């Protein structure tokens, strides 16, 4: 029955091209679907890239601290437990690792509190206080030593390691300063807590 009756026809009256067309029909549909999907992807490529970049950034980006230093918070206090105000002019400096001096606070007036940086490469920090009498201009010098332990702190693998600290001891000379006391030994990003109370002598 598959015998050819005429050119291009079989016994059932269907042309050879008609049979091939039936076979090619699913392929044609697939090609149309592929073209439509491709055109949609190409048309929306900028949007897809933007969403991909936004998703990647949201997964990997971390707000790393801009400053790796933390600071020790000092509060001036009276023996009665009240906040004190220093009448003298206050200058505080320290020695850099290269041996040069660095002024941290320069001629501060009416001081009630201040903050000083804390190192992460040495077991103690030494600060030099100069208090200048506003009436006579005479200067008095003291040395404050802060002994501490350093501990690494990691915000994220994307950020450089930071250091928090535990103050273990504080000592001072007693020329203009009377004493210094540790109130909160843990030094971190929390700036709401005072770490050291410092008591100055008052002029008669």
């Amino acid at each position: 029955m598959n015998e050819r009756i005429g050119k291009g026809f079989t016994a059932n009256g269907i042309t050879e091209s008609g049979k091939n067309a039936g076979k090619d029909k699913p392929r044609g549909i697939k090609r149309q679907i592929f073209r439509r999907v491709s055109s949609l992807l190409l048309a929306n490529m900028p949007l897809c890239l933007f969403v991909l970049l936004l998703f990647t950034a949201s997964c990997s980006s971390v707000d790393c601290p801009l400053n790796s230093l933390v600071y020790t918070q000092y509060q001036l206090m009276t023996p009665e437990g009240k906040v004190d105000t220093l009448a003298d002019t206050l200058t505080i400096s320290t020695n850099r690792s290269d041996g040069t001096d660095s002024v941290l606070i320069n001629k501060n007036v009416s001081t009630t509190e201040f903050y000083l940086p804390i190192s992460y490469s040495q077991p103690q920090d030494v600060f030099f206080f100069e208090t200048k009498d506003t009436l006579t201009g005479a200067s008095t010098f003291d040395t404050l030593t802060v002994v501490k332990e350093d501990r690494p702190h990691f915000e994220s693998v994307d950020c450089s390691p930071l250091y928090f600290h535990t103050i273990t001891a504080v000592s001072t000379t007693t020329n203009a300063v009377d004493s210094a006391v540790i109130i909160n030994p843990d030094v971190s990003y929390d700036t709401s807590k005072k770490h050291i109370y410092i008591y100055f002598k008052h002029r008669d």
Side-chain angles (χ1 to χ4, degrees):
M1 297 298 294
N2 235 356
E3 179 181 0
R4 293 180 182 276
I5 298 177
K7 185 176 180 181
F9 288 85
T10 61
N12 57 13
I14 300 175
T15 63
E16 293 291 336
S17 60
K19 294 173 74 175
N20 292 334
K23 293 179 181 179
D24 291 341
K25 189 173 182 180
R27 297 179 182 176
I29 294 174
K30 290 180 180 179
R31 289 194 188 98
Q32 291 179 5
I33 294 174
F34 177 77
R35 288 171 182 168
R36 289 180 181 178
V37 172
S38 299
S39 63
L40 287 173
L41 287 175
L42 289 174
N44 294 280
M45 185 65 72
L47 179 61
C48 293
L49 288 175
F50 175 76
V51 172
L52 180 62
L53 289 173
L54 184 63
F55 178 77
T56 303
S58 64
C59 290
S60 61
S61 65
V62 176
D63 292 333
C64 296
L66 298 178
N67 193 346
S68 59
L69 288 177
V70 294
Y71 293 83
T72 309
Q73 309 287 328
Y74 294 79
Q75 179 74 64
L76 274 64
M77 300 293 290
T78 67
E80 294 75 26
K82 297 180 180 180
V83 174
D84 195 9
T85 301
L86 184 64
D88 298 334
T89 301
L90 177 64
T91 298
I92 302 176
S93 61
T94 189
N95 286 333
R96 296 180 182 271
S97 57
D98 60 3
T100 59
D101 291 338
S102 175
V103 176
L104 303 175
I105 295 176
N106 188 27
K107 298 178 180 178
N108 218 28
V109 295
S110 301
T111 304
T112 59
E113 62 182 17
F114 56 88
Y115 60 89
L116 299 175
I118 189 167
S119 67
Y120 57 86
S121 60
Q122 51 194 12
Q124 66 180 28
D125 294 327
V126 179
F127 303 102
F128 306 104
F129 286 51
E130 178 188 358
T131 52
K132 179 175 286 189
D133 192 314
T134 54
L135 298 177
T136 65
S139 293
T140 305
F141 299 91
D142 282 292
T143 301
L144 179 77
T145 303
V146 179
V147 182
K148 40 70 174 189
E149 296 175 350
D150 308 322
R151 60 182 188 275
H153 173 76
F154 298 92
E155 293 283 343
S156 168
V157 294
D158 297 328
C159 303
S160 301
L162 308 172
Y163 285 89
F164 288 169
H165 314 272
T166 300
I167 301 173
T168 58
V170 60
S171 61
T172 180
T173 57
T174 56
N175 296 314
V177 177
D178 179 78
S179 59
V181 179
I182 301 171
I183 300 301
N184 177 25
D186 296 322
V187 182
S188 63
Y189 288 135
D190 186 1
T191 59
S192 64
K193 297 179 180 179
K194 304 302 179 183
H195 302 107
I196 295 175
Y197 282 174
I198 187 165
Y199 300 85
F200 278 89
K201 297 177 180 178
H202 283 265
R203 295 192 297 265
D204 295 332

